[in-house]
Amino acid sequence: GGVGKTTLALAVYNLIALHFDESCFLQNVREESNKHGLKHLQSIILSKLLGEKDINLTSWQEGASMIQHRLQRKKVLLILDDVDKRQQLKAIVGRPDWFGPGSRVIITTRDKHILKYHEVERTYEVKVLNQSAALQLLKWNAFKREKNDPSYEDVLNRVVTYASGLPLA
């Protein structure tokens, strides 16, 4: 956690969303699924991608079926942020043929096994920052500029070392 998966996914979403018929960035899948259940997440996705309000589902299986049938001809971009269970992917993205040609599903997770189980085609592992980049990011966030008082240099270097490449942690 804290390496920037969500930030990177959001940047990609903002960059490419206009190339799709419909798009949806579903943040905090783990938390929202635990709080409200899979039907709630499916309703959000269907509402955003179909432009319909008040979609009531009786079960997550009904939601999965509706996603599959109603979106199979649409070119969609769907980003699922912080997935932590296989069931979430089963209920929301099922198989690649659930969406129209050219569609893309981007998943952020801390658990690579979920992606393997779901037979995800391509993966990208976000790496932690090196010492120099981590220090630069910390300075920008702490001081809103790259140059700072030299008396802070030692403590900033210790913070970056302690944070192991995750300076905003």
Side-chain angles (χ1 to χ4, degrees):
V3 75
K5 295 179 295 294
T6 300
T7 302
L8 184 59
L10 186 56
V12 169
Y13 179 83
N14 289 331
L15 194 64
I16 67 173
L18 56 99
H19 299 290
F20 294 84
D21 298 333
E22 305 295 338
S23 60
C24 176
F25 186 98
L26 192 58
Q27 201 164 347
N28 300 319
V29 170
R30 173 175 43 99
E31 184 180 331
E32 293 297 316
S33 176
N34 288 337
K35 274 187 193 173
H36 306 288
L38 293 172
K39 291 188 308 185
H40 174 73
L41 296 178
Q42 291 169 325
S43 295
I44 292 170
I45 289 167
L46 286 164
S47 292
K48 283 190 170 193
L49 296 178
L50 296 173
E52 296 177 13
K53 300 242 186 238
D54 301 324
I55 294 178
N56 282 324
L57 303 170
T58 58
S59 67
W60 73 262
Q61 290 89 345
E62 180 191 20
S65 179
M66 189 179 286
I67 289 171
Q68 179 182 5
H69 290 26
R70 302 275 311 268
L71 297 172
Q72 66 184 357
R73 288 184 183 87
K74 290 187 179 272
K75 180 181 173 183
V76 302
L77 170 63
L78 178 57
I79 297 186
L80 305 175
D81 174 55
D82 196 20
V83 171
D84 73 332
K85 292 186 175 80
R86 298 185 310 199
Q87 189 69 16
Q88 295 158 346
L89 293 181
K90 185 177 177 182
I92 297 170
V93 295
R95 297 184 315 271
D97 65 349
W98 279 22
F99 306 103
S103 293
R104 294 289 179 262
V105 177
I106 297 173
I107 302 159
T108 71
T109 183
R110 295 178 187 187
D111 185 353
K112 288 189 267 188
H113 293 42
I114 291 172
L115 302 177
K116 200 172 275 188
Y117 171 82
H118 202 71
E119 299 176 16
V120 169
E121 211 173 282
R122 283 178 267 164
T123 62
Y124 175 79
E125 187 172 345
V126 180
K127 307 278 192 252
V128 296
L129 298 173
N130 64 35
Q131 181 82 9
S132 173
L135 184 60
Q136 184 179 7
L137 180 61
L138 179 60
K139 286 178 183 179
W140 273 108
N141 274 273
F143 304 107
K144 307 299 182 220
R145 59 182 180 273
E146 195 171 352
K147 300 281 185 204
N148 58 292
D149 188 325
S151 64
Y152 290 117
E153 211 60 39
D154 181 53
V155 72
L156 290 172
N157 278 308
R158 287 188 303 172
V159 166
V160 167
T161 300
Y162 180 76
S164 303
L166 303 174
L168 302 184

